[in-house]
Amino acid sequence: MTLHTRLKCISTAIAIVAFSLLSAMAHASCVSVLASEPDYQAATALAFPSPAAENEFRRALSEQAGLNLEEARIFFDCLKIAAMHDDGDTLSQLIRYPLRTHLSKREIIIRTPAAFKKTYPMIFDAKVKHAIETQRFEDLFVSYRGLMVGSGQVWISGIVDPTSGKTTIKIIAINN
């Protein structure tokens, strides 16, 4: 094994351990992240292969999806941590309603957070959770529709409030 490969393995291991340790603290902060607390530090370590790749991802986020890198990263951390902790309450706050879901090849519209909480175990099945937990932020697919987690299990987009013009990041679709 080359020195470069060893260093990369060590770096990855450190990032995994750091994320595991920080996830308990970040989970407690997840609700405050939704309220845009400025003291939150993103738990996901970015591993772009080069500064050019990071700039390209940042540009795609901005131009195609209309999202800010740091805000999208914080949202992604909240999603990942809430899914890992099976926190349906926090996940319900990350969703734009009505939510389109595809369960067992049929579309279901979830209209309220209460309806989401009732159907949470069916919506966030093992396939969806696995897609979220294994997805790396810098490997998200970016398009004009937003960010795609996994192979389309979760779609995230910026929702613009027509009165204020402010963009809020939300889950817009879940497919399992």
Side-chain angles (χ1 to χ4, degrees):
M1 186 183 306
T2 67
L3 178 62
H4 178 67
T5 306
R6 280 188 193 167
L7 290 173
K8 189 170 182 173
C9 287
I10 291 169
S11 172
T12 302
I14 290 170
I16 290 169
V17 170
F19 183 77
S20 297
L21 293 173
L22 290 173
S23 68
M25 291 187 310
H27 177 66
S29 302
C30 206
V31 174
S32 65
V33 170
L34 299 175
S36 301
E37 288 292 323
D39 61 336
Y40 177 78
Q41 296 295 315
T44 302
L46 297 180
F48 289 103
S50 69
E54 180 178 353
N55 289 338
E56 179 61 27
F57 186 79
R58 188 181 295 267
R59 188 186 62 71
L61 266 178
S62 176
E63 292 177 7
Q64 292 182 30
L67 300 174
N68 171 283
L69 179 84
E70 288 73 24
E71 291 172 2
R73 184 174 169 195
I74 290 170
F75 183 89
F76 184 73
D77 280 350
C78 272
L79 171 62
K80 194 170 221 175
I81 292 164
M84 286 171 47
H85 289 279
D86 238 0
D87 186 347
D89 291 333
T90 298
L91 288 166
S92 73
Q93 296 175 40
L94 301 177
I95 293 171
R96 183 203 64 191
Y97 296 96
L99 171 70
R100 291 180 174 250
T101 64
H102 288 87
L103 305 173
S104 304
K105 298 183 181 179
R106 65 177 234 244
E107 184 176 89
I108 297 174
I109 305 295
I110 307 296
R111 301 200 182 280
T112 65
F116 172 80
K117 290 175 191 175
K118 285 181 186 174
T119 56
Y120 167 75
M122 292 185 305
I123 296 170
F124 271 80
D125 65 359
K127 183 179 174 184
V128 171
K129 287 180 188 176
H130 178 74
I132 293 167
E133 291 172 8
T134 58
Q135 178 71 55
R136 291 174 5 132
F137 178 75
E138 60 270 21
D139 293 334
L140 286 166
F141 174 76
V142 180
S143 79
Y144 70 94
R145 293 181 180 169
L147 305 173
M148 181 179 77
V149 176
S151 56
Q153 284 86 357
V154 179
W155 279 91
I156 301 165
S157 186
I159 310 301
V160 180
D161 181 337
T163 56
S164 69
K166 183 180 177 190
T167 300
T168 306
I169 303 173
K170 295 285 185 178
I171 295 169
I172 60 168
I174 300 173
N175 307 296
N176 60 10

